[in-house]
């Protein structure tokens, strides 16, 4: 899809803008995790609250890093005018696996995304509507 968009008039700028937006979404997720803003509307107390907060920090930061990687590859594709550089989340994780210590990094990313999934389950149960 990125190759097709790159061929459009101003396609390079559209891909660049999309990449910047995806990086921004990743940064926002990291901010949510580190600031624990996601806990503001959670109706849970005691040890469960601490567990949800810890899972959320790990999960949001991991999700933000994965989105950031995908966004960086989109930006790189636009700058280099090379559609093969554009990858989605699956491609970003595949490239992560190909790096030195790739399996360890991929395992950490997977654990973080599982933590995010568990945070989402806690949201479904404890979030104030």
């Amino acid at each position: 899809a990125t190759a097709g968009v790159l061929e459009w008039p101003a396609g390079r700028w559209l891909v660049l803008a999309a990449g910047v937006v995806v990086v921004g979404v990743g940064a926002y997720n990291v901010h949510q995790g580190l600031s624990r803003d996601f806990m503001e509307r959670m109706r849970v107390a005691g040890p469960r609250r601490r567990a949800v907060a810890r899972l959320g920090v790990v999960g949001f930061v991991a999700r933000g890093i994965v989105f950031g990687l995908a966004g960086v590859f989109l930006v790189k594709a636009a700058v280099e005018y090379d559609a093969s550089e554009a990858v989605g989340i699956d491609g970003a994780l595949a490239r992560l696996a190909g790096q030195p210590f790739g399996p360890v990094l991929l395992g950490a990313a997977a654990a973080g995304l599982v933590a995010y999934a568990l945070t989402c389950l806690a949201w479904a149960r404890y979030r104030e509507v």
Side-chain angles (χ1 to χ4, degrees):
T2 304
V5 173
L6 281 173
E7 298 301 320
W8 294 354
R12 190 176 200 175
W13 294 104
L14 291 171
V15 172
L16 180 66
V20 170
V21 167
V22 173
V23 168
V25 169
Y28 176 74
N29 275 275
V30 170
H31 169 73
Q32 285 286 101
L34 296 178
S35 68
R36 296 181 183 210
D37 284 349
F38 64 92
M39 291 297 293
E40 288 178 4
R41 296 180 58 193
M42 297 286 276
R43 298 184 89 166
V44 61
R48 285 185 184 162
R49 184 171 185 84
R50 286 189 298 275
V52 169
R54 288 180 183 141
L55 283 172
V57 169
V58 171
F60 272 93
V61 170
R63 186 173 190 246
I65 289 170
V66 171
F67 269 88
L69 284 172
V72 165
F73 288 126
L74 274 174
V75 168
K76 187 176 179 190
V79 169
E80 295 179 358
Y81 204 68
D82 182 6
S84 68
E85 289 296 325
V87 295
I89 292 173
D90 59 336
L93 292 174
R95 288 193 181 179
L96 186 63
Q99 299 301 313
F101 302 105
V104 173
L105 295 172
L106 192 58
L113 293 175
V114 167
Y116 179 76
L118 293 172
T119 304
C120 289
L121 288 174
W123 259 6
R125 171 69 174 94
Y126 298 114
R127 187 163 182 201
E128 183 180 291
V129 185

